[in-house]
Amino acid sequence: MQVLLAEKYGFCFGVKRAIRITEKIAKSNPRTLTIGPLIHNPLEIQRLQRDFDVHVEEDINRLGESKNVVIRTHGITKQNLIELQQKGVEITDATCPFVTKPQKIVEAMSKEGYHIIIFGDSSHPEVRSVMSYSIEVPIVIGNLEEIKNIKRIPKKIAIVSQTTKQIEKFLEIVQYLIANSLEVRVFNTICNATFENQEATRTLSQKADVMIIVGGKTSSNTKQLFFIAKTHCKDSYLVEDENDIQQQWFADKQICGITAGASTPNWVIKNVESAIRALNS
Amino acid sequence: MQVLLAEKYGFCFGVKRAIRITEKIAKSNPRTLTIGPLIHNPLEIQRLQRDFDVHVEEDINRLGESKNVVIRTHGITKQNLIELQQKGVEITDATCPFVTKPQKIVEAMSKEGYHIIIFGDSSHPEVRSVMSYSIEVPIVIGNLEEIKNIKRIPKKIAIVSQTTKQIEKFLEIVQYLIANSLEVRVFNTICNATFENQEATRTLSQKADVMIIVGGKTSSNTKQLFFIAKTHCKDSYLVEDENDIQQQWFADKQICGITAGASTPNWVIKNVESAIRALNS
C-alpha cells in the first residue's frame, strides 16, 4: 500500500503564532491560563500543560492565582474581554488575525446599520466571539436550509463566514441572500490555510482508497476536511492519534492518503504516518 | 392549437410611467424630443411621433427648435445631463426609477473607493448611463468568461446589474468575485418586472411547443425572454409585430405560448395574438 501525504496539511499560521506566543509568556510566568483551549487539539494542549505549565479555564471568573491570561486562537466575546480587562490580569491576545478580521467587520457593519449574518456553527467559540461584536443579535446559520426558514430576510445584510468553512457552502447561502435582499455586503473571511488544506484534501481523496484525517474531534476545520474526504473516498477516518487507527481499515487498499487539520501538531501526524507504514511492512 | 399568454408579460411600471410623462409634456409642447428612443419599441415610438409629435434625437447637440427634452427610460450619461442642463431647454426625466437606483449606487460606491463592476452590455444605453456615474472607469462584463479573463480582480468591489439581466447569470459572476476578492458589495438591481416576466416565460415555455416573444429587437429584456424561452422550447421566435409571423412555425403544434417584453405595448401583443388565432381557425 502506498502512503501519501496531502500537498498541504497541518498547522496554519494562526496556530503556530498562538503556540509561539503562549510558550514565550509561559516560560517566564507560572500557571499561565488560556480561556478555553488555545487550539482544538487535546494532545497539543496536554503538551503545553506538561512542558510549559499552561492551564485551560473556560470561566473568566475562576482565574485562581494566575496572573497571565492568554486569549485562544478562536477569540473570546467582547463582553468577556472587557470583564477580563477589569480584573487586573496580564492579557496576551493569541486570537488568530483571520478571526480578528470578521470581529472588526461585524462591529463596523453593525454600526453602519447592516444586519449581520454569520455562516458558521453558533456553538463554536470562534462564532460566539464574532457574534459578540454585533450591536443587534446576528443571524447565525449553519446551512442553506436554515436561511430558507427565515421568514423576513433583512434588506441590508453584511455576511461573514467562520474562517474554517467550505467556500462552496458559503456561496450557496450568499446566492440565496442576493436573490432575496436589496444589498448584500459579502466578506470572504474563510482563511487561506483552510482553503488550501481543503483543496489538497479534495485532490488526494480523489485518488486514495482510504483516507486518514488527523486532528481534534472538536476542531471545525478538521471536520470539514473529513467531510470533503468522505465525499470522494467513502473509507475516510478521523483520528486524534495513532491509537485510534484500526488495522482492518487498510485491508486490500492500494493508496492511503493522510491529511491533518490546521491545529494538528506535526509530531502527532508523524506518529500516525509511522503507525500506518508499520502495518504495511 | 391552444394559444396561451404568459402569466406576466408586457409593459412594466417604468415604461408605463415614461409614456404617461411624455404624452403629458407633448400635449402642451410642440416637437418634444427624446434623447434616443424613449423605450426600445419602434412601433410605440412611431405611435408617439404620429399622435403626439414626439421625435427622437440621439445627439444632444442637435436639438433644433425643440424646447422640451425628455430623458429616456434607460437614462443618459451624467456628462450629457450636465450639458443638456446648460442648454436652457426644459428637461423632463423619464428615467426608470429602477435605473436611477444603480446610477446612485455606482456614484456613492465609487466615492467610497469601491471598484465598480457592472453586469451588462457595455453598448446598451442603460449601462452607458450607469457607467458614467463611476469616478474611475468601471469594469463592464457580459458573462462569467469575461471576468475570468481579468488579470487582477480588485480587492474592494461594488457590483450592480443591468436591470433586465437574468439573476442566475448575475449570481455566477458574483460567486466568482467573492471567491477571488476580499469584499464584494452586491446590489441586486435586476428589476422585479423583469424577474416576473422571466419566471412566467420559463413556466410557459416548459409546456408550449412553440413560443412567440413579442418585442423590439434592440430591447434587452425582450432578448432575455427569448433566450429563456429557447432553453425550454426550441421553436421560439422573436417578432416585432404580426407581420413577422410565419405560418409554418405552427404546423403540427399543440400549444403556442405568447409573451412580450416590458416595452411592448398591449395593442401590438393583441394584434399578434389575433393573427395567430386566425391561422388556427
Side-chain angles (χ1 to χ4, degrees), chain B residues 64-75:
Chain B
E65 298 303 302
S66 297
K67 292 285 169 241
N68 278 273
V69 171
V70 176
I71 297 175
R72 64 192 297 179
T73 49
H74 318 92

Side-chain angles (χ1 to χ4, degrees), chain A residues 117-120 141-143 160-162 165-166 169-170 173:
Chain A
I117 298 185
I118 301 168
F119 169 44
I141 46 158
N143 56 56
V160 296
S161 172
Q162 189 175 342
K165 285 288 183 188
Q166 288 181 52
K169 306 281 174 191
F170 181 55
I173 291 162

Side-chain angles (χ1 to χ4, degrees), chain A residues 109 114-118 156-160 184-185 187:
Chain A
M109 291 302 103
Y114 288 84
H115 205 111
I116 305 297
I117 298 185
I118 301 168
K156 285 179 71 182
I157 294 167
I159 183 167
V160 296
V184 186
R185 292 182 78 156
F187 297 86

Side-chain angles (χ1 to χ4, degrees), chain B residues 115-161:
Chain B
H115 205 111
I116 305 297
I117 298 185
I118 302 169
F119 170 44
D121 307 320
S122 57
S123 62
H124 192 282
E126 175 190 322
V127 175
R128 287 209 306 271
S129 82
V130 173
M131 284 172 74
S132 72
Y133 284 83
S134 174
I135 298 167
E136 290 187 49
V137 179
I139 298 171
V140 179
I141 46 158
N143 56 54
L144 184 62
E145 293 314 307
E146 284 176 36
I147 193 88
K148 286 186 178 168
N149 289 335
I150 292 174
K151 288 217 180 68
R152 193 187 292 261
I153 303 282
K155 291 289 165 227
K156 284 179 72 183
I157 294 167
I159 182 167
V160 297
S161 173

Side-chain angles (χ1 to χ4, degrees), chain A residues 229-266:
Chain A
K230 194 92 182 160
T231 314
H232 303 289
C233 173
K234 67 176 173 45
D235 294 324
S236 294
Y237 303 96
L238 176 53
V239 301
E240 277 195 355
D241 64 14
E242 65 276 19
N243 299 314
D244 287 345
I245 286 173
Q246 296 179 28
Q247 188 156 9
Q248 70 269 26
W249 295 345
F250 307 95
D252 305 322
K253 299 299 183 192
Q254 305 300 315
I255 301 176
C256 169
I258 301 178
T259 187
S263 47
T264 313
N266 227 13

Side-chain angles (χ1 to χ4, degrees), chain A residues 20-82:
Chain A
R20 192 176 62 236
I21 288 172
T22 308
E23 287 181 352
K24 192 176 165 195
I25 296 294
K27 266 181 196 161
S28 47
N29 294 285
R31 219 185 146 74
T32 293
L33 272 192
T34 64
I35 307 299
L38 184 69
I39 61 172
H40 269 144
N41 190 283
L43 298 168
E44 184 66 9
I45 300 301
Q46 280 168 26
R47 187 190 69 85
L48 286 170
Q49 181 167 355
R50 187 188 64 227
D51 298 353
F52 290 88
D53 192 28
V54 174
H55 296 260
V56 179
E57 178 52 63
E58 294 283 351
D59 186 348
I60 60 160
N61 294 312
R62 293 176 60 187
L63 304 183
E65 298 303 301
S66 297
K67 293 285 169 240
N68 278 274
V69 171
V70 176
I71 298 176
R72 64 194 294 179
T73 49
H74 318 93
I76 57 174
T77 65
K78 192 177 174 180
Q79 295 73 17
N80 271 351
L81 180 62
I82 293 166

